[in-house]
Amino acid sequence: NAGVTQTPKFQVLKTGQSMTLQCAQDMNHNSMYWYRQDPGMGLRLIYYSASEGTTDKGEVPNGYNVSRLNKREFSLRLESAAPSQTSVYFCASSERKLNYGYTFGSGTRLTVV
Amino acid sequence: KQEVTQIPAALSVPEGENLVLNCSFTDSAIYNLQWFRQDPGKGLTSLLLIQSSQREQTSGRLNASLDKSSGRSTLYIAASQPGDSATYLCACNDYKLSFGAGTTVTVRA
């Protein structure tokens, strides 16, 4: 029972490099989300996908792009990494029904130097 | 925009004491509220999910209450243990999940 799987777990990038964070869920959930967590600021929503084929901006989308590859997979891309994007990134999934809770992955710790 | 506040930011108690963690939110039009636990360097583990129509939810030593009209939720942990040491996050679902910054709990043996 994997739940939500994120790869990689750790990554160090140089300023200006690009990378893609991968997320996959095996719970047949319709909705998927990307959050970032910074000290003292809680988790903030970057992008979400309410259902396969749709994506929308969250609270802090600048500098990121997303792809909902299929129902299981939702990737987050940093085209030109900046030190301000140093953070812990979490992927989550949920059923589209509003009385459902969210399930989170274990996170990707990203450092941009 | 939903604002979620958790007070206190940190809490240290001796083993066996009951824990009371507070969460307040500004927009009462929520569908549900979820409490999570986060261990250092780890992901989020769901503890309790309270629907907007419910007043409380219980799981073992954990009890969470919800008062939508006053914009508050409280997580009670009975008879705390050192293994309860972690950061506890509350999150309001008003179609998107909005998080508080968390309360970091230390239970001293």
Side-chain angles (χ1 to χ4, degrees):
Chain A
N1 229 5
V4 178
T5 303
Q6 291 183 237
T7 56
K9 293 191 183 306
F10 302 93
Q11 184 71 49
V12 179
L13 288 179
K14 293 182 179 178
T15 297
Q17 286 185 319
S18 63
M19 80 161 294
T20 300
L21 281 65
Q22 306 287 353
C23 175
Q25 52 93 7
D26 62 1
M27 296 169 287
N28 204 35
H29 286 169
N30 282 301
S31 302
M32 297 184 73
Y33 310 83
W34 277 106
Y35 286 86
R36 61 178 288 174
Q37 184 177 34
D38 301 293
M41 300 192 71
L43 278 83
R44 293 179 292 168
L45 183 64
I46 306 171
Y47 270 94
Y48 67 100
S49 171
S51 61
E52 186 178 356
T54 68
T55 60
D56 284 288
K57 295 178 180 179
E59 186 181 351
V60 289
N62 291 345
Y64 305 95
N65 285 302
V66 291
S67 295
R68 184 73 184 266
L69 304 170
N70 47 55
K71 191 172 185 179
R72 290 188 63 249
E73 298 172 290
F74 188 39
S75 62
L76 178 71
R77 182 161 178 84
L78 287 70
E79 290 291 352
S80 179
S84 61
Q85 294 179 304
T86 293
S87 188
V88 182
Y89 292 85
F90 288 101
C91 177
S93 70
S94 175
E95 257 305 323
R96 198 169 184 181
K97 300 173 187 176
L98 292 169
N99 61 349
Y100 268 64
Y102 286 52
T103 301
F104 280 78
S106 57
T108 294
R109 190 172 296 272
L110 176 67
T111 301
V112 183
V113 298
Chain B
K1 176 176 178 271
Q2 180 76 270
E3 301 286 345
V4 182
T5 303
Q6 291 186 249
I7 294 173
L11 188 59
S12 179
V13 299
E15 183 176 3
E17 192 165 301
N18 296 331
L19 286 164
V20 180
L21 308 180
N22 297 303
C23 173
S24 61
F25 47 95
T26 54
D27 187 347
S28 62
I30 62 172
Y31 299 104
N32 54 54
L33 184 145
Q34 198 166 357
W35 281 94
F36 294 90
R37 169 185 171 135
Q38 186 176 30
D39 294 295
K42 303 294 185 183
L44 280 69
T45 300
S46 180
L47 297 174
L48 290 167
L49 173 68
I50 313 176
Q51 303 300 337
S52 61
S53 58
Q54 295 177 314
R55 297 284 294 184
E56 65 178 313
Q57 190 69 252
T58 297
S59 175
R61 294 185 294 114
L62 276 61
N63 174 277
S65 65
L66 175 63
D67 184 343
K68 276 180 54 178
S69 61
S70 65
R72 293 180 192 174
S73 177
T74 302
L75 177 66
Y76 301 90
I77 304 177
S80 62
Q81 304 167 359
D84 294 328
S85 298
T87 297
Y88 292 83
L89 300 165
C90 77
C92 296
N93 185 6
D94 51 6
Y95 187 65
K96 294 191 266 301
L97 211 56
S98 298
F99 281 86
T103 295
T104 298
V105 171
T106 302
V107 180
R108 309 186 302 271

